[in-house]
């Protein structure tokens, strides 16, 4: 026995995060490609008497998980979103929860643009076209996309990622409108420095006006199913929907119907409901012509995932020392610890 506390990691994460934890703790890593199933996670935590749980967006951290190890003192999620963690249950048990805000905003905004551009200029279709041996000639009407420059961009949720995403529109001379729970003067001022006059508007108005709609809201009771049949109808047949937020923000059945009936032009999704999306899911029938899809990789750059792992380790170590976490989801969500 070393007398050191144990941190249980549900995934193998960038080594820098593990090294940081090993300076002060014993580390147990679930080495599989997929996250431990819920029951297995409960068993694993109990078995190693974990004092800390290092989790990701793939883990459901509910009361049962929080009660699995009597020694459990802290939870750190390697994510900015914490909808998978029951913060109330954690607070009831005096278990602080850390998260990783800010660090992934630029990387996720980059990826949102990768999806937007791929959808606008039919990049995935073009790739298939060449691989499938269809490229016989330059063609005046082959794979015509839609312009991004001069178009209208609607940003749903102007937080850190939404602002970083909107800022990139400056290079494309776009009109930018946004919706949020209230006008965001600071974010507007930041965007104004880049020559963007971001206009606050209601969601319905934004959907009607925008050629490209990009979602950047956290998942909560207010935002679950935010984009449904009515909203997709407002978007119109030439509009593109980009989602790098959470799959549940969009009603999948309504989206499928809208794609089927050409009520919107394209959906470009990094997140889905369900997630992961089974390979035989009917939504995939629309790819690549109407659907561009990625497996939740918005923050997946070497630099950012490394920083996220280290931030998560720092949150956990602070919590184990009884110090305030550098980034506390518990406090951010306004739940009393
Ligand atoms: C997050 O951090 O919440 C992303 O969805 C995964 O990086």
């Amino acid at each position: 026995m070393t007398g050191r506390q144990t941190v249980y990691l549900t995934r193998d994460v960038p080594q820098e995060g593990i090294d940081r934890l090993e300076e002060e703790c014993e580390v147990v890593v679930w080495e599989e490609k997929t996250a431990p199933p819920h029951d297995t996670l409960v068993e694993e935590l109990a078995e190693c008497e974990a004092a800390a749980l290092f989790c990701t967006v793939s883990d459901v951290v509910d009361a049962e998980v929080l009660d699995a190890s009597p020694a459990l003192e802290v939870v750190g999620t390697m994510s900015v979103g914490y909808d998978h963690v029951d913060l109330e249950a954690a607070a009831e048990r005096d278990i602080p929860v850390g998260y990783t805000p800010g660090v992934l905003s630029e990387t996720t905004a980059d990826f949102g643009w990768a999806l937007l551009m791929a959808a606008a200029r039919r990049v995935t279709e073009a790739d298939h076209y060449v691989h499938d041996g269809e490229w016989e000639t330059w063609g005046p009407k082959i794979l015509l996309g839609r312009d991004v420059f001069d178009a209208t961009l609607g940003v749903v949720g102007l937080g850190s990622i939404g602002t970083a995403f909107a800022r990139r529109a400056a290079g494309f001379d776009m009109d930018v409108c946004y919706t949020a729970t209230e006008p965001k003067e600071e974010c507007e001022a930041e965007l104004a420095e880049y020559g963007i006059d971001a206009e606050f508007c209601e969601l319905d108005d934004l959907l009607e006006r925008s050629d490209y709609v990009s979602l950047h809201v956290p998942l909560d009771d207010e935002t679950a199913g935010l984009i449904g049949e009515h909203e997709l109808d407002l978007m119109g047949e030439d509009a593109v929907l980009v989602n790098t937020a959470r799959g549940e923000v969009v009603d999948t059945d309504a989206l499928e119907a809208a794609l089927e009936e050409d009520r919107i032009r394209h959906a470009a999704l990094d997140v889905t409901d369900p997630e992961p999306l089974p390979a035989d899911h009917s939504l995939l029938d629309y790819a690549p012509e109407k659907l561009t899809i990625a497996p939740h990789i918005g923050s997946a750059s070497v630099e950012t995932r490394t920083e996220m792992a280290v931030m998560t380790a720092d949150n956990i170590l602070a919590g184990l020392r009884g110090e305030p976490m550098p980034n506390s989801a518990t406090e951010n969500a306004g739940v009393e610890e």
Side-chain angles (χ1 to χ4, degrees):
M1 282 293 287
T2 59
R4 291 170 18 128
Q5 290 172 297
T6 299
V7 182
Y8 183 85
L9 283 78
T10 60
R11 306 304 274 277
D12 186 16
V13 302
Q15 190 58 39
E16 288 81 346
I18 296 179
D19 290 346
R20 183 71 64 100
L21 289 168
E22 281 180 335
E23 287 168 18
E24 298 181 34
C25 298
E26 294 304 307
V27 170
V28 176
V29 180
W30 175 259
E31 300 278 359
E32 307 291 321
K33 184 178 168 199
T34 54
H38 187 265
D39 289 355
T40 310
L41 176 57
V42 169
E43 283 164 21
E44 292 267 309
L45 288 168
E47 197 178 320
C48 71
E49 294 179 21
L53 169 61
F54 183 127
C55 63
T56 75
V57 290
S58 310
D59 307 298
V60 174
V61 180
D62 56 12
E64 209 186 331
V65 168
L66 295 167
D67 289 336
S69 162
L72 195 75
E73 291 178 22
V74 298
V75 172
T77 182
M78 190 177 127
S79 59
V80 65
Y82 42 76
D83 47 277
H84 55 294
V85 181
D86 186 337
L87 286 188
E88 253 178 59
E92 278 162 22
R93 290 159 178 76
D94 281 332
I95 295 177
V97 179
Y99 75 134
T100 62
V103 61
L104 48 75
S105 300
E106 301 296 331
T107 303
T108 306
D110 279 354
F111 194 68
W113 274 89
L115 288 176
L116 187 154
M117 297 296 289
R121 298 301 305 272
R122 305 174 64 177
V123 175
T124 314
E125 276 180 88
D127 181 79
H128 285 223
Y129 187 85
V130 176
H131 279 282
D132 292 348
E134 289 182 57
W135 188 13
E136 292 169 356
T137 177
W138 178 88
K141 289 167 80 171
I142 289 173
L143 288 165
L144 303 187
R146 300 307 281 247
D147 285 327
V148 175
F149 77 91
D150 263 354
T152 298
L153 177 67
V155 179
V156 179
L158 200 66
S160 172
I161 301 174
T163 307
F165 184 86
R167 189 167 6 93
R168 284 157 171 75
F172 294 91
D173 282 336
M174 297 176 95
D175 287 331
V176 177
C177 55
Y178 75 97
T179 187
T181 44
E182 57 187 17
K184 301 275 187 132
E185 281 168 25
E186 263 182 44
C187 301
E188 284 184 24
E190 180 185 333
L191 294 174
E193 283 176 31
Y194 291 82
I196 297 172
D197 180 17
E199 189 187 339
F200 176 78
C201 57
E202 295 302 324
L203 178 61
D204 282 7
D205 187 20
L206 175 146
L207 294 168
E208 277 178 331
R209 289 160 56 172
S210 302
D211 302 296
Y212 300 92
V213 174
S214 189
L215 306 179
H216 301 283
V217 288
L219 176 64
D220 56 29
D221 291 346
E222 306 292 306
T223 60
L226 183 71
I227 305 297
E229 188 183 347
H230 165 77
E231 290 72 23
L232 291 160
D233 276 346
L234 288 174
M235 284 179 62
E237 61 187 20
D238 268 331
V240 169
L241 176 70
V242 179
N243 189 5
T244 53
R246 284 292 182 266
E248 293 89 337
V249 175
V250 178
D251 176 335
T252 303
D253 291 341
L255 177 62
E256 268 193 60
L259 293 174
E260 170 68 29
E261 292 153 21
D262 292 318
R263 286 187 276 116
I264 67 168
R265 182 155 52 89
H266 200 100
L269 311 176
D270 182 41
V271 288
T272 56
D273 177 25
E275 189 173 308
L277 197 69
D280 60 355
H281 195 283
S282 47
L283 189 60
L284 292 175
D285 295 348
Y286 301 96
E289 291 82 3
K290 299 180 189 180
L291 179 77
T292 300
I293 192 140
H296 202 150
I297 55 170
S299 66
S301 73
V302 173
E303 298 88 338
T304 292
R305 287 284 168 86
T306 301
E307 277 193 68
M308 288 168 74
V310 171
M311 268 175 96
T312 309
D314 285 343
N315 282 333
I316 285 175
L317 292 174
L320 289 176
R321 287 187 216 113
E323 295 167 5
M325 288 183 167
N327 293 285
S328 163
T330 313
E331 278 170 24
N332 190 57
V335 178
E336 295 275 312
E337 265 184 53

